[in-house]
PDB file of all heavy atoms in Angstrom:
ATOM      1  N   ILE A   1      20.588  11.727  -6.008  1.00  0.00           N
ATOM      2  CA  ILE A   1      19.360  10.969  -6.260  1.00  0.00           C
ATOM      3  C   ILE A   1      19.318   9.789  -5.298  1.00  0.00           C
ATOM      4  O   ILE A   1      20.305   9.084  -5.126  1.00  0.00           O
ATOM      5  CB  ILE A   1      19.351  10.482  -7.717  1.00  0.00           C
ATOM      6  CG1 ILE A   1      19.316  11.689  -8.648  1.00  0.00           C
ATOM      7  CG2 ILE A   1      18.176   9.549  -7.975  1.00  0.00           C
ATOM      8  CD1 ILE A   1      19.630  11.368 -10.080  1.00  0.00           C
ATOM      9  N   GLY A   2      18.183   9.590  -4.669  1.00  0.00           N
ATOM     10  CA  GLY A   2      18.030   8.430  -3.798  1.00  0.00           C
ATOM     11  C   GLY A   2      16.948   8.619  -2.770  1.00  0.00           C
ATOM     12  O   GLY A   2      15.970   7.887  -2.725  1.00  0.00           O
ATOM     13  N   GLN A   3      17.062   9.627  -1.932  1.00  0.00           N
ATOM     14  CA  GLN A   3      16.124   9.820  -0.824  1.00  0.00           C
ATOM     15  C   GLN A   3      15.036  10.818  -1.214  1.00  0.00           C
ATOM     16  O   GLN A   3      15.321  11.945  -1.581  1.00  0.00           O
ATOM     17  CB  GLN A   3      16.911  10.345   0.380  1.00  0.00           C
ATOM     18  CG  GLN A   3      16.151  10.341   1.666  1.00  0.00           C
ATOM     19  CD  GLN A   3      16.946  11.021   2.755  1.00  0.00           C
ATOM     20  OE1 GLN A   3      16.762  12.208   3.005  1.00  0.00           O
ATOM     21  NE2 GLN A   3      17.842  10.291   3.395  1.00  0.00           N
ATOM     22  N   TYR A   4      13.781  10.362  -1.150  1.00  0.00           N
ATOM     23  CA  TYR A   4      12.665  11.244  -1.483  1.00  0.00           C
ATOM     24  C   TYR A   4      11.441  10.869  -0.656  1.00  0.00           C
ATOM     25  O   TYR A   4      11.390   9.810  -0.040  1.00  0.00           O
ATOM     26  CB  TYR A   4      12.330  11.182  -2.982  1.00  0.00           C
ATOM     27  CG  TYR A   4      11.541   9.960  -3.381  1.00  0.00           C
ATOM     28  CD1 TYR A   4      10.182  10.046  -3.668  1.00  0.00           C
ATOM     29  CD2 TYR A   4      12.133   8.700  -3.467  1.00  0.00           C
ATOM     30  CE1 TYR A   4       9.437   8.927  -4.025  1.00  0.00           C
ATOM     31  CE2 TYR A   4      11.404   7.587  -3.819  1.00  0.00           C
ATOM     32  CZ  TYR A   4      10.056   7.703  -4.100  1.00  0.00           C
ATOM     33  OH  TYR A   4       9.327   6.598  -4.433  1.00  0.00           O
ATOM     34  N   MET A   5      10.453  11.752  -0.648  1.00  0.00           N
ATOM     35  CA  MET A   5       9.209  11.523   0.078  1.00  0.00           C
ATOM     36  C   MET A   5       8.184  10.922  -0.888  1.00  0.00           C
ATOM     37  O   MET A   5       7.875  11.525  -1.911  1.00  0.00           O
ATOM     38  CB  MET A   5       8.688  12.843   0.647  1.00  0.00           C
ATOM     39  CG  MET A   5       7.357  12.729   1.349  1.00  0.00           C
ATOM     40  SD  MET A   5       6.772  14.355   1.897  1.00  0.00           S
ATOM     41  CE  MET A   5       7.052  14.200   3.657  1.00  0.00           C
ATOM     42  N   GLN A   6       7.680   9.729  -0.574  1.00  0.00           N
ATOM     43  CA  GLN A   6       6.614   9.117  -1.374  1.00  0.00           C
ATOM     44  C   GLN A   6       5.295   9.771  -0.971  1.00  0.00           C
ATOM     45  O   GLN A   6       4.830   9.584   0.146  1.00  0.00           O
ATOM     46  CB  GLN A   6       6.550   7.607  -1.134  1.00  0.00           C
ATOM     47  CG  GLN A   6       5.398   6.915  -1.832  1.00  0.00           C
ATOM     48  CD  GLN A   6       5.507   6.916  -3.349  1.00  0.00           C
ATOM     49  OE1 GLN A   6       6.585   6.725  -3.900  1.00  0.00           O
ATOM     50  NE2 GLN A   6       4.403   7.139  -4.027  1.00  0.00           N
ATOM     51  N   PRO A   7       4.691  10.567  -1.855  1.00  0.00           N
ATOM     52  CA  PRO A   7       3.487  11.303  -1.448  1.00  0.00           C
ATOM     53  C   PRO A   7       2.228  10.442  -1.376  1.00  0.00           C
ATOM     54  O   PRO A   7       2.026   9.555  -2.192  1.00  0.00           O
ATOM     55  CB  PRO A   7       3.348  12.373  -2.538  1.00  0.00           C
ATOM     56  CG  PRO A   7       4.052  11.814  -3.718  1.00  0.00           C
ATOM     57  CD  PRO A   7       5.120  10.900  -3.205  1.00  0.00           C
ATOM     58  N   TYR A   8       1.434  10.732  -0.372  1.00  0.00           N
ATOM     59  CA  TYR A   8       0.074  10.202  -0.243  1.00  0.00           C
ATOM     60  C   TYR A   8      -0.855  11.398  -0.328  1.00  0.00           C
ATOM     61  O   TYR A   8      -0.528  12.482   0.160  1.00  0.00           O
ATOM     62  CB  TYR A   8      -0.109   9.507   1.105  1.00  0.00           C
ATOM     63  CG  TYR A   8       0.502   8.136   1.160  1.00  0.00           C
ATOM     64  CD1 TYR A   8       1.878   7.967   1.227  1.00  0.00           C
ATOM     65  CD2 TYR A   8      -0.304   6.996   1.139  1.00  0.00           C
ATOM     66  CE1 TYR A   8       2.438   6.707   1.266  1.00  0.00           C
ATOM     67  CE2 TYR A   8       0.253   5.731   1.177  1.00  0.00           C
ATOM     68  CZ  TYR A   8       1.623   5.593   1.235  1.00  0.00           C
ATOM     69  OH  TYR A   8       2.177   4.343   1.267  1.00  0.00           O
ATOM     70  N   LEU A   9      -2.002  11.217  -0.942  1.00  0.00           N
ATOM     71  CA  LEU A   9      -2.985  12.285  -1.057  1.00  0.00           C
ATOM     72  C   LEU A   9      -4.264  11.873  -0.359  1.00  0.00           C
ATOM     73  O   LEU A   9      -4.725  10.738  -0.501  1.00  0.00           O
ATOM     74  CB  LEU A   9      -3.278  12.601  -2.521  1.00  0.00           C
ATOM     75  CG  LEU A   9      -2.093  13.095  -3.348  1.00  0.00           C
ATOM     76  CD1 LEU A   9      -2.501  13.277  -4.804  1.00  0.00           C
ATOM     77  CD2 LEU A   9      -1.533  14.380  -2.795  1.00  0.00           C
ATOM     78  N   LEU A  10      -4.826  12.810   0.390  1.00  0.00           N
ATOM     79  CA  LEU A  10      -6.122  12.629   1.038  1.00  0.00           C
ATOM     80  C   LEU A  10      -7.046  13.677   0.444  1.00  0.00           C
ATOM     81  O   LEU A  10      -6.799  14.877   0.567  1.00  0.00           O
ATOM     82  CB  LEU A  10      -6.000  12.801   2.549  1.00  0.00           C
ATOM     83  CG  LEU A  10      -7.292  12.810   3.367  1.00  0.00           C
ATOM     84  CD1 LEU A  10      -8.091  11.523   3.170  1.00  0.00           C
ATOM     85  CD2 LEU A  10      -6.973  13.018   4.842  1.00  0.00           C
ATOM     86  N   PHE A  11      -8.095  13.229  -0.245  1.00  0.00           N
ATOM     87  CA  PHE A  11      -9.080  14.112  -0.858  1.00  0.00           C
ATOM     88  C   PHE A  11     -10.287  14.204   0.069  1.00  0.00           C
ATOM     89  O   PHE A  11     -10.838  13.179   0.485  1.00  0.00           O
ATOM     90  CB  PHE A  11      -9.513  13.566  -2.223  1.00  0.00           C
ATOM     91  CG  PHE A  11      -8.394  13.473  -3.216  1.00  0.00           C
ATOM     92  CD1 PHE A  11      -7.693  12.287  -3.383  1.00  0.00           C
ATOM     93  CD2 PHE A  11      -8.041  14.564  -3.993  1.00  0.00           C
ATOM     94  CE1 PHE A  11      -6.661  12.185  -4.304  1.00  0.00           C
ATOM     95  CE2 PHE A  11      -7.012  14.484  -4.914  1.00  0.00           C
ATOM     96  CZ  PHE A  11      -6.321  13.291  -5.069  1.00  0.00           C
ATOM     97  N   LEU A  12     -10.695  15.447   0.373  1.00  0.00           N
ATOM     98  CA  LEU A  12     -11.804  15.691   1.300  1.00  0.00           C
ATOM     99  C   LEU A  12     -12.904  16.491   0.608  1.00  0.00           C
ATOM    100  O   LEU A  12     -12.622  17.340  -0.243  1.00  0.00           O
ATOM    101  CB  LEU A  12     -11.315  16.471   2.517  1.00  0.00           C
ATOM    102  CG  LEU A  12     -10.151  15.878   3.304  1.00  0.00           C
ATOM    103  CD1 LEU A  12      -9.598  16.897   4.290  1.00  0.00           C
ATOM    104  CD2 LEU A  12     -10.588  14.617   4.018  1.00  0.00           C
ATOM    105  N   ASP A  13     -14.145  16.266   1.033  1.00  0.00           N
ATOM    106  CA  ASP A  13     -15.240  17.094   0.530  1.00  0.00           C
ATOM    107  C   ASP A  13     -15.359  18.351   1.385  1.00  0.00           C
ATOM    108  O   ASP A  13     -14.549  18.576   2.295  1.00  0.00           O
ATOM    109  CB  ASP A  13     -16.554  16.304   0.471  1.00  0.00           C
ATOM    110  CG  ASP A  13     -17.089  15.887   1.834  1.00  0.00           C
ATOM    111  OD1 ASP A  13     -16.655  16.432   2.878  1.00  0.00           O
ATOM    112  OD2 ASP A  13     -17.973  15.012   1.872  1.00  0.00           O
ATOM    113  N   SER A  14     -16.362  19.168   1.131  1.00  0.00           N
ATOM    114  CA  SER A  14     -16.504  20.448   1.829  1.00  0.00           C
ATOM    115  C   SER A  14     -16.803  20.297   3.316  1.00  0.00           C
ATOM    116  O   SER A  14     -16.636  21.243   4.082  1.00  0.00           O
ATOM    117  CB  SER A  14     -17.582  21.295   1.163  1.00  0.00           C
ATOM    118  OG  SER A  14     -18.831  20.623   1.227  1.00  0.00           O
ATOM    119  N   GLN A  15     -17.216  19.110   3.746  1.00  0.00           N
ATOM    120  CA  GLN A  15     -17.485  18.833   5.158  1.00  0.00           C
ATOM    121  C   GLN A  15     -16.323  18.080   5.820  1.00  0.00           C
ATOM    122  O   GLN A  15     -16.471  17.559   6.920  1.00  0.00           O
ATOM    123  CB  GLN A  15     -18.779  18.020   5.297  1.00  0.00           C
ATOM    124  CG  GLN A  15     -20.003  18.720   4.724  1.00  0.00           C
ATOM    125  CD  GLN A  15     -20.268  20.043   5.403  1.00  0.00           C
ATOM    126  OE1 GLN A  15     -20.325  20.127   6.626  1.00  0.00           O
ATOM    127  NE2 GLN A  15     -20.403  21.102   4.610  1.00  0.00           N
ATOM    128  N   PHE A  16     -15.170  18.015   5.127  1.00  0.00           N
ATOM    129  CA  PHE A  16     -13.951  17.357   5.603  1.00  0.00           C
ATOM    130  C   PHE A  16     -14.095  15.838   5.732  1.00  0.00           C
ATOM    131  O   PHE A  16     -13.390  15.199   6.502  1.00  0.00           O
ATOM    132  CB  PHE A  16     -13.446  17.971   6.925  1.00  0.00           C
ATOM    133  CG  PHE A  16     -13.222  19.439   6.823  1.00  0.00           C
ATOM    134  CD1 PHE A  16     -14.157  20.341   7.302  1.00  0.00           C
ATOM    135  CD2 PHE A  16     -12.081  19.944   6.206  1.00  0.00           C
ATOM    136  CE1 PHE A  16     -13.965  21.707   7.195  1.00  0.00           C
ATOM    137  CE2 PHE A  16     -11.874  21.305   6.089  1.00  0.00           C
ATOM    138  CZ  PHE A  16     -12.818  22.195   6.582  1.00  0.00           C
ATOM    139  N   ASN A  17     -15.004  15.259   4.955  1.00  0.00           N
ATOM    140  CA  ASN A  17     -15.136  13.806   4.896  1.00  0.00           C
ATOM    141  C   ASN A  17     -14.191  13.277   3.825  1.00  0.00           C
ATOM    142  O   ASN A  17     -14.074  13.868   2.742  1.00  0.00           O
ATOM    143  CB  ASN A  17     -16.574  13.403   4.533  1.00  0.00           C
ATOM    144  CG  ASN A  17     -17.556  13.840   5.594  1.00  0.00           C
ATOM    145  OD1 ASN A  17     -17.385  13.558   6.764  1.00  0.00           O
ATOM    146  ND2 ASN A  17     -18.593  14.563   5.167  1.00  0.00           N
ATOM    147  N   ALA A  18     -13.529  12.163   4.118  1.00  0.00           N
ATOM    148  CA  ALA A  18     -12.599  11.564   3.167  1.00  0.00           C
ATOM    149  C   ALA A  18     -13.365  11.011   1.963  1.00  0.00           C
ATOM    150  O   ALA A  18     -14.352  10.296   2.123  1.00  0.00           O
ATOM    151  CB  ALA A  18     -11.806  10.455   3.831  1.00  0.00           C
ATOM    152  N   ILE A  19     -12.907  11.379   0.766  1.00  0.00           N
ATOM    153  CA  ILE A  19     -13.457  10.852  -0.478  1.00  0.00           C
ATOM    154  C   ILE A  19     -12.574   9.730  -0.984  1.00  0.00           C
ATOM    155  O   ILE A  19     -13.047   8.683  -1.405  1.00  0.00           O
ATOM    156  CB  ILE A  19     -13.551  11.959  -1.556  1.00  0.00           C
ATOM    157  CG1 ILE A  19     -14.449  13.095  -1.090  1.00  0.00           C
ATOM    158  CG2 ILE A  19     -14.041  11.373  -2.873  1.00  0.00           C
ATOM    159  CD1 ILE A  19     -14.402  14.313  -2.001  1.00  0.00           C
ATOM    160  N   GLU A  20     -11.258   9.982  -0.953  1.00  0.00           N
ATOM    161  CA  GLU A  20     -10.285   9.009  -1.445  1.00  0.00           C
ATOM    162  C   GLU A  20      -8.954   9.287  -0.758  1.00  0.00           C
ATOM    163  O   GLU A  20      -8.648  10.430  -0.416  1.00  0.00           O
ATOM    164  CB  GLU A  20     -10.128   9.157  -2.960  1.00  0.00           C
ATOM    165  CG  GLU A  20      -9.241   8.136  -3.613  1.00  0.00           C
ATOM    166  CD  GLU A  20      -9.153   8.331  -5.127  1.00  0.00           C
ATOM    167  OE1 GLU A  20     -10.196   8.519  -5.771  1.00  0.00           O
ATOM    168  OE2 GLU A  20      -8.022   8.314  -5.648  1.00  0.00           O
ATOM    169  N   GLN A  21      -8.161   8.228  -0.582  1.00  0.00           N
ATOM    170  CA  GLN A  21      -6.864   8.368   0.075  1.00  0.00           C
ATOM    171  C   GLN A  21      -5.922   7.334  -0.502  1.00  0.00           C
ATOM    172  O   GLN A  21      -6.320   6.196  -0.746  1.00  0.00           O
ATOM    173  CB  GLN A  21      -7.032   8.142   1.582  1.00  0.00           C
ATOM    174  CG  GLN A  21      -5.803   8.326   2.402  1.00  0.00           C
ATOM    175  CD  GLN A  21      -6.103   8.216   3.900  1.00  0.00           C
ATOM    176  OE1 GLN A  21      -7.203   7.833   4.297  1.00  0.00           O
ATOM    177  NE2 GLN A  21      -5.136   8.551   4.714  1.00  0.00           N
ATOM    178  N   GLY A  22      -4.678   7.718  -0.747  1.00  0.00           N
ATOM    179  CA  GLY A  22      -3.698   6.750  -1.225  1.00  0.00           C
ATOM    180  C   GLY A  22      -2.522   7.412  -1.900  1.00  0.00           C
ATOM    181  O   GLY A  22      -2.395   8.630  -1.950  1.00  0.00           O
ATOM    182  N   THR A  23      -1.658   6.577  -2.444  1.00  0.00           N
ATOM    183  CA  THR A  23      -0.464   7.038  -3.133  1.00  0.00           C
ATOM    184  C   THR A  23      -0.582   6.677  -4.602  1.00  0.00           C
ATOM    185  O   THR A  23      -1.637   6.225  -5.055  1.00  0.00           O
ATOM    186  CB  THR A  23       0.804   6.446  -2.492  1.00  0.00           C
ATOM    187  OG1 THR A  23       1.956   7.102  -3.035  1.00  0.00           O
ATOM    188  CG2 THR A  23       0.916   4.950  -2.679  1.00  0.00           C
ATOM    189  N   MET A  24       0.458   6.894  -5.360  1.00  0.00           N
ATOM    190  CA  MET A  24       0.455   6.602  -6.780  1.00  0.00           C
ATOM    191  C   MET A  24       1.831   6.105  -7.189  1.00  0.00           C
ATOM    192  O   MET A  24       2.796   6.273  -6.465  1.00  0.00           O
ATOM    193  CB  MET A  24       0.049   7.836  -7.594  1.00  0.00           C
ATOM    194  CG  MET A  24       1.088   8.923  -7.725  1.00  0.00           C
ATOM    195  SD  MET A  24       1.455   9.980  -6.304  1.00  0.00           S
ATOM    196  CE  MET A  24      -0.089  10.424  -5.636  1.00  0.00           C
ATOM    197  N   ASP A  25       1.883   5.478  -8.366  1.00  0.00           N
ATOM    198  CA  ASP A  25       3.177   5.082  -8.910  1.00  0.00           C
ATOM    199  C   ASP A  25       3.948   6.340  -9.284  1.00  0.00           C
ATOM    200  O   ASP A  25       3.378   7.302  -9.801  1.00  0.00           O
ATOM    201  CB  ASP A  25       2.997   4.210 -10.155  1.00  0.00           C
ATOM    202  CG  ASP A  25       2.437   2.841  -9.828  1.00  0.00           C
ATOM    203  OD1 ASP A  25       2.628   2.365  -8.689  1.00  0.00           O
ATOM    204  OD2 ASP A  25       1.809   2.233 -10.722  1.00  0.00           O
ATOM    205  N   MET A  26       5.230   6.325  -9.005  1.00  0.00           N
ATOM    206  CA  MET A  26       6.096   7.456  -9.327  1.00  0.00           C
ATOM    207  C   MET A  26       7.169   6.971 -10.309  1.00  0.00           C
ATOM    208  O   MET A  26       7.657   5.848 -10.207  1.00  0.00           O
ATOM    209  CB  MET A  26       6.759   8.005  -8.071  1.00  0.00           C
ATOM    210  CG  MET A  26       5.802   8.460  -6.975  1.00  0.00           C
ATOM    211  SD  MET A  26       4.884   9.942  -7.363  1.00  0.00           S
ATOM    212  CE  MET A  26       6.108  11.204  -7.041  1.00  0.00           C
ATOM    213  N   THR A  27       7.547   7.849 -11.246  1.00  0.00           N
ATOM    214  CA  THR A  27       8.550   7.549 -12.259  1.00  0.00           C
ATOM    215  C   THR A  27       9.713   8.515 -12.102  1.00  0.00           C
ATOM    216  O   THR A  27       9.509   9.696 -11.822  1.00  0.00           O
ATOM    217  CB  THR A  27       7.939   7.718 -13.671  1.00  0.00           C
ATOM    218  OG1 THR A  27       6.804   6.866 -13.777  1.00  0.00           O
ATOM    219  CG2 THR A  27       8.934   7.370 -14.755  1.00  0.00           C
ATOM    220  N   PHE A  28      10.926   8.032 -12.311  1.00  0.00           N
ATOM    221  CA  PHE A  28      12.118   8.866 -12.198  1.00  0.00           C
ATOM    222  C   PHE A  28      12.253   9.781 -13.412  1.00  0.00           C
ATOM    223  O   PHE A  28      12.110   9.355 -14.553  1.00  0.00           O
ATOM    224  CB  PHE A  28      13.368   7.984 -12.081  1.00  0.00           C
ATOM    225  CG  PHE A  28      14.652   8.756 -12.158  1.00  0.00           C
ATOM    226  CD1 PHE A  28      15.070   9.546 -11.105  1.00  0.00           C
ATOM    227  CD2 PHE A  28      15.442   8.702 -13.300  1.00  0.00           C
ATOM    228  CE1 PHE A  28      16.251  10.267 -11.177  1.00  0.00           C
ATOM    229  CE2 PHE A  28      16.627   9.417 -13.378  1.00  0.00           C
ATOM    230  CZ  PHE A  28      17.027  10.199 -12.310  1.00  0.00           C
ATOM    231  N   TYR A  29      12.526  11.086 -13.157  1.00  0.00           N
ATOM    232  CA  TYR A  29      12.871  12.054 -14.195  1.00  0.00           C
ATOM    233  C   TYR A  29      14.189  12.693 -13.795  1.00  0.00           C
ATOM    234  O   TYR A  29      14.337  13.164 -12.676  1.00  0.00           O
ATOM    235  CB  TYR A  29      11.784  13.129 -14.351  1.00  0.00           C
ATOM    236  CG  TYR A  29      10.671  12.657 -15.251  1.00  0.00           C
ATOM    237  CD1 TYR A  29       9.642  11.871 -14.754  1.00  0.00           C
ATOM    238  CD2 TYR A  29      10.672  12.968 -16.607  1.00  0.00           C
ATOM    239  CE1 TYR A  29       8.640  11.407 -15.583  1.00  0.00           C
ATOM    240  CE2 TYR A  29       9.669  12.515 -17.443  1.00  0.00           C
ATOM    241  CZ  TYR A  29       8.662  11.731 -16.922  1.00  0.00           C
ATOM    242  OH  TYR A  29       7.673  11.274 -17.746  1.00  0.00           O
ATOM    243  N   ASP A  30      15.127  12.719 -14.740  1.00  0.00           N
ATOM    244  CA  ASP A  30      16.477  13.189 -14.398  1.00  0.00           C
ATOM    245  C   ASP A  30      16.614  14.700 -14.365  1.00  0.00           C
ATOM    246  O   ASP A  30      17.678  15.212 -14.060  1.00  0.00           O
ATOM    247  CB  ASP A  30      17.521  12.571 -15.319  1.00  0.00           C
ATOM    248  CG  ASP A  30      17.466  13.096 -16.740  1.00  0.00           C
ATOM    249  OD1 ASP A  30      16.654  13.998 -17.029  1.00  0.00           O
ATOM    250  OD2 ASP A  30      18.234  12.591 -17.580  1.00  0.00           O
ATOM    251  N   GLY A  31      15.565  15.437 -14.665  1.00  0.00           N
ATOM    252  CA  GLY A  31      15.631  16.886 -14.569  1.00  0.00           C
ATOM    253  C   GLY A  31      15.927  17.586 -15.872  1.00  0.00           C
ATOM    254  O   GLY A  31      15.960  18.805 -15.913  1.00  0.00           O
ATOM    255  N   SER A  32      16.139  16.856 -16.944  1.00  0.00           N
ATOM    256  CA  SER A  32      16.417  17.519 -18.222  1.00  0.00           C
ATOM    257  C   SER A  32      15.155  17.668 -19.073  1.00  0.00           C
ATOM    258  O   SER A  32      15.212  18.146 -20.181  1.00  0.00           O
ATOM    259  CB  SER A  32      17.475  16.736 -19.001  1.00  0.00           C
ATOM    260  OG  SER A  32      17.022  15.435 -19.274  1.00  0.00           O
TER     261      SER A  32
END
């Protein structure tokens, strides 16, 4: 546990125009 990719999401409409872009808060889950 330690190294991970912080995801960013880019939401596009049908014409490939950006609607929203950004990341989110992430919470640790131990896998159980």
Side-chain angles (χ1 to χ4, degrees):
I1 296 166
Q3 191 187 95
Y4 78 105
M5 177 184 253
Q6 175 67 41
Y8 282 73
L9 298 176
L10 173 58
F11 298 95
L12 305 168
D13 66 16
S14 61
Q15 301 300 309
F16 304 100
N17 296 308
I19 300 171
E20 185 179 313
Q21 183 174 9
T23 190
M24 75 286 315
D25 290 334
M26 302 290 281
T27 303
F28 172 73
Y29 276 83
D30 71 3
S32 61

